[in-house]
């Protein structure tokens, strides 16, 4: 029932000063109004009606979701209500995947079945190896993986049956299972190494490490610390509500495209350096800075807007990204095994300066998830080209959970934003001989 304001009504009154007319629109849960309610606001009967103008969707809710909650001002992140720090400390990536996809934590037998299903779908068709072989030796791993995921749609034509929950679930399992395999194949191609097939007795992250790093022996055992660290990083990256790549997944999915094609599109968005490509950009930036002594010069360049401090800032978080805090702790554990990454000193000094300088403080620029993850990945032996791929593997879960939610949401339709046309009015075609 209404409880806001002096009138006690949960509505918003709008006066159109062009016409003097008053309108009353409902305020829904989450302090939102329906953009379609604005359409009734017109000057004349043949007017289209009012729209909201919101480039980059800075203030537009595109869905009502139950998957992930973020409070950017307080630095809170929860999956299905569970705080990210509790999940990172006590759960596994596949358990979190189940939670994100199904909405509840699994019982032991539900988890066992889910892990078994994922584990037994890790193999990809041998033709995918031919696809990988077609790439140049220096092809970027993300480009190879995007192509590999898109190619998978041709192997599973039943994936087009997106309104069939059973067919949908099969593709969800396949995608979560096969992403590490594609990623590892891309890496092995890049290194000119033979492909290593999945090992079903290993955990999700241990199998991935095995496919990447095993050379010449059948009994490669990843360090349990690194195996767990990778799993924690996967948990932290599993979902982040309506970000650029998730929105891409939903937009493509809204056309009833199969999930492989939609996910390839989402990966394309993630590849950008302002999004999941930022971890790679951070590493390149730290290498370029080279030493703590060069930081003041670099920071001057940032403040003069010659470049950005990569791994800092976020559209939603205006406080310390809670994922960055957990990653910082994970880094210490990893470095005990791998030795300290010398780039860490530069990163820590950058953070110290940024947290105290007006330019960053005034703009609420704090380290985000990508600031420290690359330093860990590098210490673990991953080349920088693999960093966005390491983001895409766990985010596959979130993309699929959001895609599933979209398809089950009666309010959703094919995504189709409006525009405000500001180009030339109608004019007659000018023959070539009469132009300019
Ligand atoms: N370095 C320097 N200045 C910055 C930075 C930065 N990293 N980020 C934002 N600013 C400044 C920006 O110049 C602007 O200043 P002013 O108001 O004076 O013009 C102000 O802060 C607001 O920036 P914005 O670009 O309007 O903010 P946005 O919400 O559109 O962009 C962002 C968010 C993440 C794209 C941006 O902060 C950025 O480019 N960060 C670096 C790239 C990065 O680390 N991306 C990973 C994001 S977290 C992982 C993920 O979810 O993908």
């Amino acid at each position: 029932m209404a409880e806001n304001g002096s009138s006690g009504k949960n509505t918003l009154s709008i006066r159109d000063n062009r016409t003097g007319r008053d309108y009353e629109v409902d305020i829904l849960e989450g302090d939102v109004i329906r953009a379609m309610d604005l359409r009734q606001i017109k000057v004349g009967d043949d007017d289209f009606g009012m729209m909201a103008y919101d480039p980059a969707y800075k203030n537009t809710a595109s869905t009502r979701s139950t998957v992930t909650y973020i409070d950017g001002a307080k630095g809170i992140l929860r999956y299905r209500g569970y705080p990210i720090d509790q999940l990172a400390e006590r759960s596994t990536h596949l358990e979190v995947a189940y939670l994100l996809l199904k909405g509840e934590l699994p019982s032991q037998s539900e988890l066992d079945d889910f892990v078994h299903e994922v584990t037994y779908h890790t193999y990809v068709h041998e033709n995918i190896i031919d696809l990988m072989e077609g790439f140049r030796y220096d092809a970027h791993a993300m480009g190879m993986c995007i192509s590999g995921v898109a190619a998978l749609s041709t192997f599973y034509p039943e994936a087009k049956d997106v309104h069939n929950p059973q067919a949908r679930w099969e593709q969800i399992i396949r995608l979560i299972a096969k992403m590490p395999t594609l990623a590892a194949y891309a890496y092995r191609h890049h290194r000119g190494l033979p492909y290593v097939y999945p090992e079903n007795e290993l955990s999700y992250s241990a199998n991935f490490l095995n496919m990447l790093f095993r050379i010449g022996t059948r009994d490669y055992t990843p360090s349990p610390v690194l195996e767990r660290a990778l799993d924690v990083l996967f948990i932290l990256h599993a979902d982040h509500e309506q970000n650029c790549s998730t929105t891409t997944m939903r937009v493509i999915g809204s056309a009833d495209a199969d999930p492989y094609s939609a996910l390839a599109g989402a990966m394309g968005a993630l590849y950008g350096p302002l999004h999941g490509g930022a971890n790679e950009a951070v590493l390149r930036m730290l290498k370029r800075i080279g030493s703590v002594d060069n930081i003041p010069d670099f920071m001057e360049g940032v403040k003069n807007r010659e470049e950005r401090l990569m791994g800092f800032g976020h559209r939603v978080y205006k406080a310390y990204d809670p994922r960055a805090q957990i990653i910082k702790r994970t880094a210490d554990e990893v470095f005990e095994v791998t030795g300290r990454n010398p780039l860490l000193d530069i990163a820590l000094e950058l953070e110290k300066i940024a947290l105290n300088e007006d330019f960053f403080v005034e703009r609420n620029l704090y380290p985000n998830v990508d600031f420290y993850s690359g330093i860990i990945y590098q210490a673990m032996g991953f080349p920088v080209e693999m960093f966005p791929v390491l983001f895409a593997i766990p985010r596959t879960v979130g993309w699929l959970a959001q895609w599933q939610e979209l398809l089950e949401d009666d309010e959703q339709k094919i995504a189709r934003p409006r525009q405000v046309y500001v180009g030339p009015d109608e004019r007659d075609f000018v023959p070539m001989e009469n132009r300019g």
Side-chain angles (χ1 to χ4, degrees):
M1 271 307 289
E3 55 185 38
N4 293 344
S6 54
S7 69
K9 282 160 68 180
N10 253 339
T11 59
L12 179 73
S13 297
I14 302 171
R15 161 154 296 196
D16 185 344
N17 291 320
R18 298 170 302 176
T19 60
R21 277 191 216 126
D22 291 315
Y23 302 85
E24 191 171 345
V25 298
D26 288 333
I27 299 175
L28 312 179
E29 184 191 352
D31 287 344
V32 293
I33 59 164
R34 284 188 187 279
M36 282 302 283
D37 280 350
L38 299 176
R39 193 69 75 74
Q40 61 184 308
I41 303 175
K42 297 179 179 186
V43 174
D45 285 345
D46 54 353
D47 256 13
F48 181 76
M50 188 160 281
M51 296 186 293
Y53 175 57
D54 189 13
Y57 312 119
K58 282 172 136 176
N59 198 37
T60 294
S62 61
T63 187
R64 291 154 59 84
S65 179
T66 61
V67 181
T68 289
Y69 172 79
I70 299 176
D71 182 328
K74 295 192 184 129
I76 293 173
L77 169 62
R78 298 183 198 131
Y79 297 159
R80 302 283 189 185
Y82 294 101
I84 191 66
D85 51 321
Q86 291 184 24
L87 294 170
E89 196 179 326
R90 298 165 63 181
S91 191
T92 61
H93 177 58
L94 287 187
E95 187 179 42
V96 166
Y98 185 101
L99 170 70
L100 284 166
L101 290 160
K102 299 270 193 181
E104 295 297 335
L105 285 168
S107 66
Q108 188 62 56
S109 67
E110 285 167 337
L111 180 61
D112 293 345
D113 289 350
F114 181 66
V115 171
H116 183 271
E117 272 196 281
V118 170
T119 306
Y120 281 82
H121 282 88
T122 46
Y123 274 65
V124 294
H125 195 287
E126 288 286 293
N127 288 4
I128 291 288
I129 292 182
D130 295 339
L131 178 77
M132 292 288 162
E133 291 297 310
F135 286 101
R136 279 172 49 138
Y137 70 95
D138 59 352
H140 196 288
M142 192 69 164
M144 285 191 266
C145 285
I146 292 172
S147 309
V149 172
L152 285 182
S153 85
T154 67
F155 292 88
Y156 305 110
E158 68 274 22
K160 293 186 194 319
D161 196 4
V162 295
H163 292 289
N164 174 343
Q166 182 54 34
R168 224 160 45 208
W169 187 248
E170 279 165 20
Q171 314 322 315
I172 287 173
I173 295 289
R174 284 181 174 139
L175 272 160
I176 296 171
K178 294 181 201 307
M179 278 295 284
T181 315
L182 290 176
Y185 282 9
Y187 171 79
R188 303 286 290 203
H189 173 75
H190 184 69
R191 300 291 306 272
L193 291 166
Y195 303 99
V196 175
Y197 289 103
E199 292 282 358
N200 290 350
E201 68 277 8
L202 296 176
S203 75
Y204 191 74
S205 50
N207 172 53
F208 180 46
L209 290 169
N210 183 57
M211 289 189 290
L212 289 163
F213 297 132
R214 192 175 85 192
I215 294 182
T217 163
R218 285 204 61 77
D219 56 359
Y220 164 85
T221 322
S223 149
V225 175
L226 301 190
E227 179 185 343
R228 176 63 192 155
L230 192 59
D231 213 51
V232 169
L233 286 160
F234 282 174
I235 292 170
L236 298 181
H237 286 88
D239 192 53
H240 213 232
E241 51 115 311
Q242 311 310 317
N243 53 77
C244 177
S245 56
T246 302
T247 298
T248 307
M249 179 85 192
R250 279 178 172 264
V251 168
I252 301 176
S254 77
D256 283 356
D258 72 79
Y260 301 97
S261 304
L263 208 129
M267 284 180 80
L270 190 75
Y271 196 1
L274 296 186
H275 191 10
N279 51 18
E280 183 176 345
V282 169
L283 232 283
R284 293 190 193 281
M285 174 189 79
L286 294 175
K287 275 193 187 157
R288 190 159 48 87
I289 296 172
S291 97
V292 172
D293 297 341
N294 298 331
I295 290 179
D297 274 356
F298 171 80
M299 287 303 233
E300 272 316 296
V302 172
K303 285 187 273 181
N304 293 334
R305 296 161 188 280
E306 286 153 23
E307 60 182 310
R308 289 201 161 200
L309 175 54
M310 299 309 285
F312 262 69
H314 201 275
R315 172 64 60 78
V316 179
Y317 291 121
K318 299 303 167 200
Y320 210 105
D321 182 335
R323 302 169 298 174
Q325 252 152 357
I326 300 166
I327 287 184
K328 233 172 138 180
R329 285 202 298 274
T330 308
D332 292 335
E333 290 158 23
V334 168
F335 295 154
E336 276 190 24
V337 176
T338 62
R340 192 178 159 88
N341 186 334
L343 295 178
L344 182 67
D345 293 329
I346 301 175
L348 288 171
E349 186 61 19
L350 281 172
E351 178 184 337
K352 201 166 97 192
I353 295 174
L355 293 183
N356 289 297
E357 292 222 354
D358 289 348
F359 178 92
F360 300 93
V361 175
E362 281 161 10
R363 292 171 178 77
N364 293 314
L365 299 175
Y366 294 90
N368 59 49
V369 70
D370 289 316
F371 192 62
Y372 287 105
S373 61
I375 301 176
I376 304 183
Y377 292 145
Q378 196 192 39
M380 288 172 83
F382 293 105
V384 283
E385 293 78 13
M386 284 298 285
F387 293 3
V389 175
L390 290 162
F391 196 152
I393 292 172
R395 185 54 60 84
T396 294
V397 169
W399 288 328
L400 291 167
Q402 301 272 350
W403 169 72
Q404 187 179 241
E405 187 176 68
L406 166 98
L407 291 172
E408 287 170 357
D409 183 346
D410 291 340
E411 281 200 300
Q412 293 292 343
K413 285 178 178 291
I414 185 166
R416 202 332 182 160
R418 295 279 176 175
Q419 66 165 11
V420 179
Y421 178 72
V422 294
D425 212 342
E426 185 180 351
R427 46 186 175 163
D428 286 331
F429 179 78
V430 182
M432 184 62 79
E433 58 274 21
N434 297 349
R435 287 178 212 165

